[in-house]
Amino acid sequence: MKTTRLLMVIMASIAFFASSTVYAEEHVVNAEARIFKPAIIYIQPGDTVRWTNMTSHNAVTYVAPEGSAGFGEKGQLPGGSFSVTPDKEGIYGYACEPHAGFGMVGVIVVGNATKDVQDAAMKQADETLQGPFRRLLGSIKKVQVQ
Ligand SMILES: [Cu+2]
C-alpha cells in the first residue's frame, strides 16, 4: 500500500516535469540567398525561433500582436545565428531590412491562427507598411487560418 502511494507520487512528479519542459520547441528559419525558409512558421506560445545563416541579414518585426515588444529593433539582430521567443500570441510579420526589396520577409504565427487574428494583422500591415515592406501583406494573406 505504501509502495503504491510512493509510486503514484513519483509518476505524478514525472508527468508534471515532463509537461513543463517538453512543450517548448525550437523552430529553425534559414536565410537562403534572399529568402527566409520556411517563410511562414506556425509555433506555440513559449516556443523559440532560431535564425541561421544570418551573417548579412537581419530580422525586424514590422507587424506584431497588440502589446508585443516585437523583436529586432532596427537591426539589433544581425549576425550568424540568433533566437527569439515571441512574447504574445498572434501574427508577427518581419523583414530583413537590407533585402526587403527582394521580398525577404517572413511570418511567425504563434498559437491559433483565426480569421480575426489574420484580419487584425492584415489591417495593421495595410495601415503601417510602406514601400517593399508591403510585401508582408501577401505573406500574411497566405497564413492558413483555422
Ligand atoms: Cu537579407
Side-chain angles (χ1 to χ4, degrees), residues 63-64 91 114-126 140:
V63 174
I91 293 176
T114 62
K115 184 87 174 76
D116 286 350
V117 167
Q118 185 186 38
D119 287 348
M122 288 291 289
K123 186 171 185 281
Q124 186 187 136
D126 190 40
I140 295 167

Side-chain angles (χ1 to χ4, degrees), residues 47-142:
D47 287 358
T48 296
V49 180
R50 184 162 62 89
W51 283 267
T52 57
N53 197 30
M54 293 290 283
T55 305
S56 59
H57 308 284
N58 67 11
V60 180
T61 42
Y62 280 81
V63 174
E66 197 166 331
S68 169
F71 54 81
E73 289 291 323
K74 297 300 163 207
Q76 291 300 300
L77 291 178
S81 179
F82 48 79
S83 298
V84 158
T85 303
D87 57 354
K88 301 274 181 199
E89 286 191 43
I91 293 176
Y92 294 76
Y94 66 92
C96 168
E97 294 175 319
H99 303 130
F102 296 97
M104 192 168 187
V105 298
V107 172
I108 301 170
V109 181
V110 184
N112 292 330
T114 62
K115 184 87 174 76
D116 286 350
V117 167
Q118 185 186 38
D119 287 348
M122 288 291 289
K123 186 171 185 281
Q124 186 187 136
D126 190 40
E127 289 172 358
T128 61
L129 300 182
Q130 296 177 342
F133 296 95
R134 288 187 69 81
R135 287 169 181 266
L136 272 169
L137 276 159
S139 297
I140 295 167
K141 208 173 194 171
K142 289 181 191 162

